[in-house]
């Protein structure tokens, strides 16, 4: 059985989409990142980077002790290998998938995350116009990369839907908040609509919808408290 340490954000939804698409049984373990669950000593043992998602496989293939995995890309590699699904193993497709999974982890996730962050921030911390422009442009560049890749193939790694599509899709759902217009990117838009119409993707996106609250509807003090947890992180020091 897979224990999924989860909160309903784009990085968490990569994993719930995989599990729903493949019909893999799992238990949801909520990690409320707006209240600091990612910093508990128990969770830090599983993910020293204090982020979610993470998984624990209580029945690993080798029959040994439970296996914990953090970083969504590594989790998808693990689950695809375990289930034998959504990661074709012929040499060429295997590395086409791997390069797009790593592209997502190193480029699309971090840059779109910063685009959303600075666009949401407003002028609370002073003038952010350079950061907003920088990351909105980067987001635009990355939508262009997807568009170019998808101009002559159905999915990111060819004709088959794979973990490369699963990992890239959830970050594009909020394209408007990233300051983009997907009508600029017609090949991407075709893929976006096709992936978004898959029942497994829709089920995965909906996982934990009841867990989070719309922060803009919270009292200003509560919003400030959440920002303090999420926006002011520095190193966790070892106990003396
Ligand atoms: N590279 C990590 C990123 C995970 C990540 O940034 N998760 C965010 C939510 S989308 C988180 O846990 N944030 C908690 C925090 O910022 O304290 C992955 O892909 O798993």
């Amino acid at each position: 059985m897979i224990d999924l340490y989860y909160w309903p954000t784009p990085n968490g939804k990569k994993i719930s989409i995989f599990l729903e698409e493949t019909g893999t049984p799992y238990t949801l373990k909520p990690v409320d990142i707006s209240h600091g669950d990612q910093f508990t000593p128990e969770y830090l043992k599983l993910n020293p980077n204090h982020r979610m998602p993470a998984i624990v496989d209580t029945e690993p293939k080798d029959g040994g002790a439970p296996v914990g995995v953090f970083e969504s890309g590594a989790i998808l590699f693990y689950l695809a290998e375990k289930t034998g699904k959504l990661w074709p193993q012929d040499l060429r497709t295997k590395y086409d998938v791997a390069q797009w999974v790593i592209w997502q982890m190193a480029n699309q996730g971090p840059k779109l995350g910063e685009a959303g962050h600075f666009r949401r921030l407003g002028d609370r911390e002073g003038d952010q116009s350079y950061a907003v422009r920088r990351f909105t442009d980067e987001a635009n560049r990355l939508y262009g990369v997807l568009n170019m890749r998808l101009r002559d193939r159905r999915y990111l790694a060819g004709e088959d839907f794979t973990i490369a599509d699963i990992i890239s899709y959830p970050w594009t759902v909020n394209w408007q908040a990233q300051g983009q217009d997907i009508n600029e990117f017609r090949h991407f838009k075709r893929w976006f609509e096709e992936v978004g119409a898959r029942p497994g993707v829709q089920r995965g996106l909906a996982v934990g919808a009841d867990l989070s609250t719309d922060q803009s509807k919270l009292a200003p003090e509560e919003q400030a408290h959440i920002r303090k947890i999420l926006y002011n992180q520095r190193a966790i020091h070892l106990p003396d």
Side-chain angles (χ1 to χ4, degrees), residues 107-143:
N107 297 270
Q108 191 214 33
K111 297 296 174 73
L112 269 51
E114 297 299 354
H117 174 87
F118 286 107
R119 294 177 67 84
R120 275 194 307 274
L121 190 62
D123 55 8
R124 265 194 301 272
E125 302 277 347
D127 175 28
Q128 302 298 323
S129 52
Y130 173 72
V132 168
R133 191 172 73 247
R134 160 79 184 156
F135 289 109
T136 304
D137 284 352
E138 269 295 283
N140 188 266
R141 181 182 77 74
L142 293 162
Y143 277 92

Side-chain angles (χ1 to χ4, degrees), residues 29-189:
K29 306 271 186 184
V31 180
D32 184 348
I33 56 171
S34 56
H35 286 94
D37 290 359
Q38 67 275 39
F39 298 109
T40 64
E42 302 75 50
Y43 190 74
L44 286 173
K45 279 188 206 142
L46 182 54
N47 186 346
N49 193 40
H50 45 84
R51 295 283 186 271
M52 73 84 227
I55 60 162
V56 173
D57 180 2
T58 57
E59 292 162 356
K61 259 182 161 176
D62 64 4
V67 173
V69 187
F70 68 93
E71 286 293 331
S72 56
I75 297 170
L76 287 178
F77 286 139
Y78 182 89
L79 292 173
E81 186 186 332
K82 179 182 172 76
T83 59
K85 290 179 180 161
L86 301 182
W87 188 15
Q89 291 297 296
D90 64 278
L91 181 74
R92 284 151 213 275
T93 321
K94 181 176 179 181
Y95 284 96
D96 258 354
V97 170
Q99 71 190 357
W100 283 96
V101 167
I102 289 171
W103 172 83
Q104 195 291 324
M105 296 291 290
N107 297 270
Q108 191 214 33
K111 297 296 174 73
L112 269 51
E114 297 299 354
H117 174 87
F118 286 107
R119 294 177 67 84
R120 275 194 307 274
L121 190 62
D123 55 8
R124 265 194 301 272
E125 302 277 347
D127 175 28
Q128 302 298 323
S129 52
Y130 173 72
V132 168
R133 191 172 73 247
R134 160 79 184 156
F135 289 109
T136 304
D137 284 352
E138 269 295 283
N140 188 266
R141 181 182 77 74
L142 293 162
Y143 277 92
V145 171
L146 286 174
N147 193 51
M148 182 97 73
R149 175 69 179 175
L150 291 162
R151 78 192 182 287
D152 57 1
R153 71 203 81 212
R154 187 169 174 191
Y155 296 111
L156 285 171
E159 289 312 298
D160 295 325
F161 179 73
T162 69
I163 54 173
D165 303 290
I166 289 183
I167 203 164
S168 302
Y169 175 77
W171 275 98
T172 64
V173 171
N174 288 329
W175 54 269
Q176 276 158 313
Q178 297 153 3
Q180 307 303 315
D181 175 4
I182 58 169
N183 293 308
E184 247 184 74
F185 305 110
R186 73 187 163 94
H187 305 294
F188 163 78
K189 190 175 176 205

